[in-house]
Amino acid sequence: MKTVYITRRETFNAAHKLWREEWSDEKNWGVFGKCSNHNWHGHNFQLYITVKGVPNQETGFVINLKLLSELVREHIIEALDHKNLNLDVPFLKGIMASTENMAIAIWDILDPLVRAHGGEMAKIKLIETENNFVEYYGGKEPF
Amino acid sequence: MKTVYITRRETFNAAHKLWREEWSDEKNWGVFGKCSNHNWHGHNFQLYITVKGVPNQETGFVINLKLLSELVREHIIEALDHKNLNLDVPFLKGIMASTENMAIAIWDILDPLVRAHGGEMAKIKLIETENNFVEYYGGKEPF
Amino acid sequence: MKTVYITRRETFNAAHKLWREEWSDEKNWGVFGKCSNHNWHGHNFQLYITVKGVPNQETGFVINLKLLSELVREHIIEALDHKNLNLDVPFLKGIMASTENMAIAIWDILDPLVRAHGGEMAKIKLIETENNFVEYYGGKEPF
Amino acid sequence: MKTVYITRRETFNAAHKLWREEWSDEKNWGVFGKCSNHNWHGHNFQLYITVKGVPNQETGFVINLKLLSELVREHIIEALDHKNLNLDVPFLKGIMASTENMAIAIWDILDPLVRAHGGEMAKIKLIETENNFVEYYGGKEPF
Amino acid sequence: MKTVYITRRETFNAAHKLWREEWSDEKNWGVFGKCSNHNWHGHNFQLYITVKGVPNQETGFVINLKLLSELVREHIIEALDHKNLNLDVPFLKGIMASTENMAIAIWDILDPLVRAHGGEMAKIKLIETENNFVEYYGGKEPF
Amino acid sequence: MKTVYITRRETFNAAHKLWREEWSDEKNWGVFGKCSNHNWHGHNFQLYITVKGVPNQETGFVINLKLLSELVREHIIEALDHKNLNLDVPFLKGIMASTENMAIAIWDILDPLVRAHGGEMAKIKLIETENNFVEYYGGKEPF
């Protein structure tokens, strides 16, 4: 069984801050540093979605990337692009908008959608800056 | 006279929106599209500062890049990084925070500083996304 | 007058070959090398379009990048993306599909369109591979 | 046992189309979209080959990258670079030239060659565009 | 348990050569090629450090990247940046300065430090050039 | 006259230091900082060579990039790659190995060679790190 992993990149530009209401300014600054700036800051995020499977005999596809791209754009990018991650995004409400938590939230939305189209989610990679990124395997620990 | 152009890159992550208070929401949306989102969005900006000159005979330097980097960090990056470009930045107050206007404002701050250290500003390049950037030559039109 | 240069990137993936019908296979190979492969080869092209101007007082824009992107997609990318540059592209008919000639042809289409929208074309950059690219300033020789 | 994974990148530029002869134009378009363009399109492919092993005590090498590069260039790049993947490549004959299938075919050629030189293949990554790539672990499912 | 992997990039520029004193020049050249140049050569290295864990409920962090960055800069980058890897680096003394061995040595220093701060090292990636890099999972073989 | 600028990238990896023998260690450190490390450091340099001209009617070429690449590899890369810029390079003897001076020296070698093949040098760009690069137009000051 020749399982292949295929990845699609989508991008979005968003504002956020790392901030806990119940903490003092000092504590927020101590933990989150400049990421706690009251008036927000922002990033060009890059989102990589990886689906695994055996290539279809006729198409050679694990999943049609056009379909995958449409799912991601409709359900994820539409909600995140040119938005405030703390204020504007229903699926991040009440969640600290760290890159870690965003990756989990994105997986939780995409997993049933990809499954409904016969695919299997394998990984989310979310790049925040050229120096920082997270990877999430649905909770699995491959290493 | 062997004039060489030397460039230093610095980066900053910031929030902004394109928005005119005196315009209706509809007009703002019509002109600025998703960049007018009320609650801001953001970017990883890359700033390239180019200084020109004849390399010094002893050092081989047009300008000491450590000095240039310190000037840019102290006077520009400190003010922009992890900030809201519309609300937090003194030198952008009252200016539409377009990439074009930011490049001009950055030049106007750096030009006298670089000059005071014996250098000559040649160009500002400001990258907003992998698809969009501006270049400013102090008003010159090389092409 | 604070002229700023603003650039938009668009991408397209296309096949081509460098080949002159009236030349022998040997001569084609001698001049064009592996680029003369009968059955074509291809590239992920990156096209950078630069427009110059003084930022508008109200919008801060040299040109609305959404408009510029739409012009380029409609008139250039639509014709080139996932196409054969030698066979499928009306505006390259009868022209050797070198990167140089493509840049000139793209300029000649975009120049009147950009002008009709109040802008002024400044430069075309066309990247063929990470090792090869061309730049065209409408025939000007800035250096 | 301190297993390390070492990776070499090689590149090739090729034309292809996604197309099934026995399907109508409409069905080909419906499934493959613009990738089904009759006259081909193309890409700058990036191929990453990963070999695993314990570094040799004397050389510090898992495998000599010069050797690995020569194997890949002779057996893979020579066959793919500046070629038509549907017409010109013996080891892709009769196979839908999807990125998924290419990765499997490349593994199947390199695996015995690397093994014959004392190495062990771990992964193939094949990048088609900045937005699309596949990874293949010889059929293993690490996650 | 929603384990997430988070990665920080740091960079350093260093000289090295691949060379065994007890071997003849010919043998060194035969095995290491141009990397055996007597007078050294050098690289811009990129080091990616990956830590795994379940995001903290309050901060959303697997590990505070500011802390991770400080650990890596103090214990690794300080020792390697603008240095000669064969002559200047205590933790590489007596070790062939291959990328493989460097990755292992870096892991062995960071692992107890990260552990002491409640984190768990998952991976080191060390990029030597755009064509060559290694990955090390602490000896694990995820694939 | 439709002048086009065409650019070829070549790369080399080299060691160097910034150091004046007649200066004390303290003065060297004061001026050159960590770049003055006794035992050298190094970089992955990227060299972009730009030639200008009107595309040939038959070939569509400003210059044959295969020829340009061969000239650069034979006369520049061969001398610099995997070398010590202070010790091993005849054309840098007696010259402070700053990026500025290297760009000038490379131009002075390539200019007559390119001219001898009917081309005209327009620009050298030499990237030392992702944060630092120089550009040289043969002494011209386009801006």
Side-chain angles (χ1 to χ4, degrees):
Chain A
M1 291 292 286
K2 305 202 154 177
T3 299
V4 178
Y5 295 72
I6 189 156
T7 299
R8 174 74 188 173
R9 183 185 76 133
E10 301 287 344
T11 63
F12 60 94
N13 309 321
H16 77 152
K17 66 176 165 184
L18 299 180
W19 176 265
R20 288 200 76 82
E21 279 296 334
E22 70 272 25
W23 288 359
S24 67
D25 281 19
E26 290 68 26
K27 182 161 183 189
N28 272 297
W29 177 262
V31 173
F32 297 121
K34 58 189 180 179
C35 296
S36 68
N37 181 50
H38 267 258
N39 289 327
W40 326 95
H41 66 282
H43 298 290
N44 302 333
F45 289 91
Q46 299 185 64
L47 173 63
Y48 291 82
I49 307 98
T50 303
V51 172
K52 63 187 270 193
V54 178
N56 178 282
Q57 291 256 10
E58 283 195 311
T59 62
F61 287 172
V62 165
I63 192 171
N64 192 317
L65 279 184
K66 190 162 168 291
L67 166 67
L68 180 59
S69 174
E70 286 167 359
L71 287 177
V72 177
R73 291 188 187 199
E74 180 183 346
H75 296 277
I76 306 294
I77 302 302
E78 187 74 19
L80 299 175
D81 190 32
H82 284 73
K83 293 290 166 58
N84 185 308
L85 302 175
N86 304 69
L87 300 179
D88 296 334
V89 184
F91 66 78
L92 294 177
K93 277 285 157 60
I95 299 175
M96 175 65 56
S98 69
T99 326
E100 290 93 325
N101 284 344
M102 288 170 64
I104 296 174
I106 291 168
W107 173 288
D108 287 345
I109 292 171
L110 287 179
D111 185 41
L113 292 168
V114 166
R115 202 179 302 270
H117 288 85
E120 182 179 354
M121 286 284 293
K123 178 178 169 180
I124 292 288
K125 181 177 182 178
L126 183 58
I127 301 182
E128 191 180 70
T129 74
E130 65 188 17
N131 296 321
N132 301 342
F133 63 83
V134 303
E135 294 161 300
Y136 182 59
Y137 302 89
K140 282 191 196 168
E141 301 191 21
F143 52 87
Chain B
M1 291 293 285
K2 305 202 156 179
T3 298
V4 178
Y5 295 73
I6 189 157
T7 299
R8 174 75 189 172
R9 182 186 77 133
E10 302 288 344
T11 63
F12 60 95
N13 309 320
H16 77 151
K17 66 177 166 186
L18 300 180
W19 176 264
R20 289 200 75 85
E21 278 297 334
E22 70 272 24
W23 289 358
S24 67
D25 281 18
E26 289 68 29
K27 182 161 182 189
N28 273 297
W29 177 262
V31 173
F32 297 121
K34 57 188 181 180
C35 295
S36 68
N37 181 50
H38 268 257
N39 289 327
W40 327 94
H41 67 282
H43 298 289
N44 303 332
F45 289 92
Q46 299 185 65
L47 173 63
Y48 291 83
I49 307 97
T50 302
V51 172
K52 64 187 269 194
V54 178
N56 178 283
Q57 291 255 11
E58 283 195 311
T59 62
F61 286 171
V62 166
I63 191 170
N64 192 318
L65 280 185
K66 190 162 168 291
L67 166 67
L68 181 58
S69 175
E70 285 166 359
L71 287 177
V72 177
R73 290 188 189 201
E74 180 184 346
H75 297 277
I76 306 294
I77 302 301
E78 188 73 19
L80 299 175
D81 190 32
H82 283 75
K83 294 289 168 57
N84 184 309
L85 302 175
N86 303 70
L87 301 179
D88 296 334
V89 185
F91 66 78
L92 295 176
K93 278 284 158 59
I95 299 175
M96 175 65 55
S98 70
T99 325
E100 290 93 325
N101 284 344
M102 290 170 63
I104 295 174
I106 291 168
W107 174 288
D108 288 345
I109 292 172
L110 288 179
D111 186 41
L113 293 168
V114 167
R115 201 179 304 269
H117 288 84
E120 182 179 355
M121 285 285 294
K123 178 176 169 180
I124 293 287
K125 181 178 183 178
L126 183 57
I127 301 182
E128 191 180 68
T129 73
E130 65 188 17
N131 296 321
N132 300 341
F133 63 83
V134 302
E135 294 162 299
Y136 181 60
Y137 302 88
K140 283 190 193 167
E141 301 190 19
F143 53 88
Chain C
M1 291 292 285
K2 304 203 156 178
T3 299
V4 178
Y5 295 72
I6 188 157
T7 299
R8 174 75 189 171
R9 183 186 77 134
E10 302 287 344
T11 62
F12 60 95
N13 308 321
H16 77 151
K17 66 177 167 185
L18 300 180
W19 177 266
R20 289 201 74 84
E21 278 296 334
E22 70 273 25
W23 288 359
S24 67
D25 281 18
E26 289 68 29
K27 182 161 183 188
N28 272 297
W29 178 261
V31 173
F32 297 120
K34 58 189 180 179
C35 296
S36 69
N37 181 51
H38 269 257
N39 288 327
W40 327 95
H41 66 283
H43 298 291
N44 302 334
F45 289 91
Q46 298 185 66
L47 173 63
Y48 291 83
I49 306 98
T50 302
V51 172
K52 64 187 270 193
V54 178
N56 179 284
Q57 292 255 13
E58 284 195 309
T59 62
F61 287 172
V62 165
I63 191 170
N64 192 318
L65 280 185
K66 190 162 167 291
L67 165 68
L68 180 59
S69 174
E70 285 167 359
L71 287 177
V72 177
R73 290 188 189 199
E74 179 182 347
H75 296 277
I76 305 294
I77 303 301
E78 187 74 19
L80 298 176
D81 189 32
H82 283 74
K83 294 288 167 58
N84 185 308
L85 302 175
N86 304 71
L87 302 178
D88 296 334
V89 184
F91 66 76
L92 294 176
K93 278 285 157 60
I95 298 175
M96 174 65 55
S98 70
T99 325
E100 291 93 325
N101 284 344
M102 289 170 64
I104 296 174
I106 291 168
W107 173 288
D108 288 344
I109 292 172
L110 287 179
D111 185 41
L113 292 168
V114 167
R115 202 178 303 270
H117 289 85
E120 182 179 354
M121 284 285 294
K123 178 176 167 180
I124 292 287
K125 181 178 183 178
L126 183 57
I127 301 182
E128 191 181 68
T129 74
E130 65 189 17
N131 296 320
N132 301 341
F133 63 83
V134 303
E135 294 162 299
Y136 182 60
Y137 302 89
K140 282 190 195 169
E141 300 190 20
F143 52 88
Chain D
M1 291 290 287
K2 305 203 155 177
T3 298
V4 177
Y5 295 72
I6 188 157
T7 299
R8 174 74 189 173
R9 184 186 76 134
E10 302 287 343
T11 63
F12 60 93
N13 310 320
H16 76 152
K17 65 176 166 185
L18 299 180
W19 176 266
R20 290 199 75 83
E21 278 297 333
E22 70 271 26
W23 288 359
S24 66
D25 281 20
E26 289 68 28
K27 182 161 183 190
N28 271 297
W29 178 261
V31 173
F32 297 120
K34 58 188 180 180
C35 296
S36 68
N37 182 50
H38 268 258
N39 288 327
W40 327 95
H41 66 283
H43 299 289
N44 302 333
F45 290 91
Q46 298 186 64
L47 173 63
Y48 291 82
I49 307 98
T50 303
V51 172
K52 63 188 272 194
V54 178
N56 179 283
Q57 291 256 11
E58 284 195 310
T59 61
F61 286 171
V62 165
I63 192 171
N64 192 316
L65 279 184
K66 190 161 167 292
L67 166 67
L68 180 59
S69 174
E70 286 166 359
L71 286 178
V72 177
R73 289 189 188 200
E74 180 183 346
H75 297 277
I76 306 294
I77 303 302
E78 187 74 19
L80 299 176
D81 190 33
H82 283 75
K83 293 292 167 56
N84 185 309
L85 302 176
N86 304 71
L87 301 179
D88 295 334
V89 184
F91 66 78
L92 294 177
K93 278 285 158 58
I95 299 175
M96 174 65 55
S98 69
T99 325
E100 290 93 324
N101 284 344
M102 289 171 63
I104 296 173
I106 290 168
W107 174 288
D108 288 344
I109 291 172
L110 287 179
D111 185 42
L113 293 168
V114 167
R115 202 179 303 270
H117 288 86
E120 182 179 355
M121 285 285 294
K123 179 177 168 180
I124 292 288
K125 181 177 182 178
L126 183 57
I127 301 181
E128 191 181 70
T129 74
E130 65 189 17
N131 296 321
N132 300 341
F133 63 83
V134 302
E135 294 162 298
Y136 182 60
Y137 302 89
K140 282 191 195 168
E141 300 191 20
F143 52 87
Chain E
M1 291 291 286
K2 305 202 156 180
T3 298
V4 177
Y5 295 73
I6 188 157
T7 299
R8 174 73 188 173
R9 184 186 76 134
E10 301 288 344
T11 63
F12 60 95
N13 309 321
H16 77 151
K17 66 177 165 184
L18 299 180
W19 176 265
R20 289 200 75 84
E21 278 297 333
E22 70 272 24
W23 288 359
S24 67
D25 281 20
E26 289 69 28
K27 183 162 182 188
N28 272 297
W29 178 261
V31 173
F32 297 120
K34 59 189 181 180
C35 295
S36 68
N37 181 50
H38 268 258
N39 289 327
W40 327 94
H41 66 283
H43 298 290
N44 302 334
F45 289 91
Q46 299 186 64
L47 173 63
Y48 291 82
I49 307 96
T50 303
V51 172
K52 63 188 271 191
V54 178
N56 178 284
Q57 291 255 10
E58 283 196 311
T59 62
F61 287 171
V62 165
I63 192 170
N64 192 317
L65 279 184
K66 190 161 167 293
L67 165 67
L68 180 59
S69 174
E70 285 167 359
L71 286 178
V72 177
R73 290 188 188 200
E74 180 183 347
H75 297 277
I76 306 294
I77 302 302
E78 188 74 19
L80 299 176
D81 189 33
H82 283 74
K83 293 290 167 58
N84 185 309
L85 303 175
N86 304 70
L87 301 179
D88 296 334
V89 185
F91 66 78
L92 294 177
K93 278 285 158 59
I95 298 174
M96 175 65 54
S98 69
T99 326
E100 290 92 325
N101 284 343
M102 290 170 64
I104 296 174
I106 291 168
W107 173 288
D108 288 344
I109 291 172
L110 288 179
D111 186 40
L113 292 168
V114 167
R115 202 179 302 270
H117 288 84
E120 182 179 354
M121 286 283 295
K123 177 177 169 181
I124 294 288
K125 181 178 182 177
L126 183 56
I127 301 181
E128 191 180 69
T129 73
E130 65 188 17
N131 296 321
N132 299 342
F133 63 83
V134 302
E135 294 162 298
Y136 182 59
Y137 302 88
K140 281 191 196 169
E141 300 190 21
F143 53 87
Chain F
M1 291 292 286
K2 305 202 156 179
T3 298
V4 178
Y5 295 72
I6 188 157
T7 299
R8 174 74 189 172
R9 183 185 76 134
E10 302 287 344
T11 63
F12 60 96
N13 309 320
H16 77 152
K17 65 176 166 185
L18 300 180
W19 177 265
R20 289 200 75 84
E21 278 297 333
E22 70 273 25
W23 288 358
S24 67
D25 281 19
E26 289 68 29
K27 182 161 183 189
N28 272 297
W29 178 262
V31 174
F32 297 120
K34 58 188 180 180
C35 295
S36 68
N37 181 50
H38 269 257
N39 288 327
W40 327 96
H41 66 281
H43 298 289
N44 303 333
F45 289 91
Q46 298 185 65
L47 173 63
Y48 290 83
I49 308 97
T50 303
V51 172
K52 64 187 271 192
V54 178
N56 178 283
Q57 293 256 10
E58 283 195 311
T59 61
F61 286 171
V62 166
I63 191 171
N64 192 317
L65 279 185
K66 191 162 167 291
L67 166 68
L68 180 59
S69 174
E70 285 167 359
L71 286 177
V72 177
R73 290 188 188 199
E74 180 183 346
H75 296 277
I76 306 294
I77 302 302
E78 187 74 19
L80 299 175
D81 189 32
H82 283 74
K83 293 289 167 59
N84 185 308
L85 302 175
N86 304 71
L87 301 179
D88 296 333
V89 185
F91 66 78
L92 295 176
K93 278 284 158 61
I95 299 174
M96 175 65 55
S98 69
T99 326
E100 290 93 324
N101 285 343
M102 288 170 64
I104 296 173
I106 291 168
W107 173 288
D108 288 344
I109 291 171
L110 287 180
D111 186 41
L113 292 168
V114 166
R115 202 179 303 270
H117 288 85
E120 182 179 354
M121 285 284 295
K123 178 177 169 181
I124 293 287
K125 181 177 183 178
L126 183 57
I127 301 181
E128 192 181 67
T129 73
E130 64 188 18
N131 295 322
N132 301 340
F133 63 84
V134 303
E135 294 161 300
Y136 182 60
Y137 302 88
K140 283 191 194 168
E141 301 190 20
F143 52 87

